[in-house]
Amino acid sequence: MHSTGSGVPEAGAAPSGPPHASALAPHRGLLDLRGRTDTPPAPSSPFTLTYPANAVVVVSGLPGSGKSTLLRRAPAQATVIDPRAVHVACEAVMPDWLPYGLYRPWARWKHIRWLHRELRGDGPLLVHDCGSRPWVRRWMARAAGRRGRPLHLVLLDVGRAEALSGQESRGRRAPRRAFARHHRGLDRLLRRLSEAAAAGPPATAVSPAADEAAEVPAHRPPLPVPPCVAEAASVVLLGGPTRGLATWEFARLPRPADSGTPRLRSGT
């Protein structure tokens, strides 16, 4: 591992993001890249978050924080689960006069069914989630874990005012009560993560095994994932200055060796 001029290490092969983008492989631990005056130094140039081939990465933040914009940078190999896509698909087959609130349960059922199907797969998966409901994240972690897939969390911390401005820019506002509910839940989570990041690593911290080592800026050791998000293998915090710099990369799934004989799959 060696650092680039931005203080971020290179990790293996060149990423698929912007030219000269540094690579971070947050396989384990908490990494604070918000780039605020009260947080550790963060990249000031494009960087790539790299994950294992079978990773499930949950992207959370307030409505309008930039989750969909970040997910649009996903590589072609990754599947992106965005509830907005289900909303639009359901809306397209419903009469214009029917309020969305009346068929919202159906749309949510379709979203959960889609998510459950993809969690049972093998390829890289990016999930758009509000992040204010811990039980949803824990359910995803359990479902992914049954397939031996790690769950990672990327959390956008941009604040209430900036999120509302983002909603205005996209021309679509979240209902006031829903936004307030998401804000309360995320604010609690961010406070706990900020406390963990500010506390630094425990004095008795054990260095991770070589195959689990997280690639982080050389001047900053990886922090343990706090208990409030124990279901996640890693947590990356992005802020207003850094959310627009991040891109994605996933390792390639290994191809099964061709033995020349047919393979049988059981029906169970």
Side-chain angles (χ1 to χ4, degrees), residues 148-172:
R149 308 180 68 180
L151 182 134
H152 301 265
L153 176 62
V154 174
L155 188 56
L156 304 185
D157 180 10
V158 301
R160 184 177 184 275
E162 194 167 351
L164 289 173
S165 175
Q167 293 181 46
E168 290 290 346
S169 299
R170 74 187 185 186
R172 190 176 70 253

Side-chain angles (χ1 to χ4, degrees), residues 35-256:
R36 303 188 322 206
T37 56
D38 60 338
T39 64
S44 58
S45 58
F47 59 93
T48 300
L49 297 172
T50 67
Y51 292 94
N54 65 342
V56 176
V57 184
V58 179
V59 180
S60 298
L62 286 172
S65 62
K67 298 186 297 296
S68 295
T69 302
L70 181 57
L71 288 170
R72 279 197 288 271
R73 302 179 203 138
Q77 74 192 103
T79 298
V80 176
I81 300 287
D82 190 336
R84 179 64 187 171
V86 179
H87 181 148
V88 172
C90 292
E91 198 173 49
V93 297
M94 290 294 175
D96 294 339
W97 51 265
L98 189 64
Y100 175 70
L102 293 180
Y103 56 91
R104 182 185 290 114
W106 177 55
R108 286 181 175 172
W109 175 79
K110 288 179 70 68
H111 170 67
I112 293 297
R113 186 179 178 186
W114 179 25
L115 180 54
H116 185 256
R117 183 175 67 248
E118 295 298 338
L119 286 169
R120 295 173 63 187
D122 297 316
L125 181 63
L126 287 161
V127 182
H128 180 298
D129 180 65
C130 67
S132 60
R133 295 170 294 192
W135 68 267
V136 174
R137 192 169 53 248
R138 290 167 189 152
W139 168 74
M140 286 191 284
R142 287 194 299 269
R146 295 189 191 104
R147 297 282 299 180
R149 308 180 68 180
L151 182 134
H152 301 265
L153 176 62
V154 174
L155 188 56
L156 304 185
D157 180 10
V158 301
R160 184 177 184 275
E162 194 167 351
L164 289 173
S165 175
Q167 293 181 46
E168 290 290 346
S169 299
R170 74 187 185 186
R172 190 176 70 253
R173 292 191 64 117
R176 183 176 300 177
R177 290 178 59 184
F179 183 85
R181 184 173 65 252
H182 293 326
H183 184 258
R184 286 193 300 271
L186 278 171
D187 192 53
R188 285 194 297 269
L189 177 58
L190 283 166
R191 276 202 307 270
R192 293 174 181 173
L193 292 173
S194 295
E195 290 168 1
T204 57
V206 178
S207 297
D211 61 342
E212 293 185 350
E215 296 292 337
V216 298
H219 61 280
R220 189 169 2 135
L223 302 174
V225 171
C228 60
V229 284
E231 66 277 2
S234 76
V235 181
V236 175
L237 301 176
L238 298 178
T242 55
R243 60 180 175 170
L245 300 175
T247 55
W248 308 97
E249 185 180 64
F250 292 88
R252 295 289 178 182
L253 283 169
R255 293 184 179 181

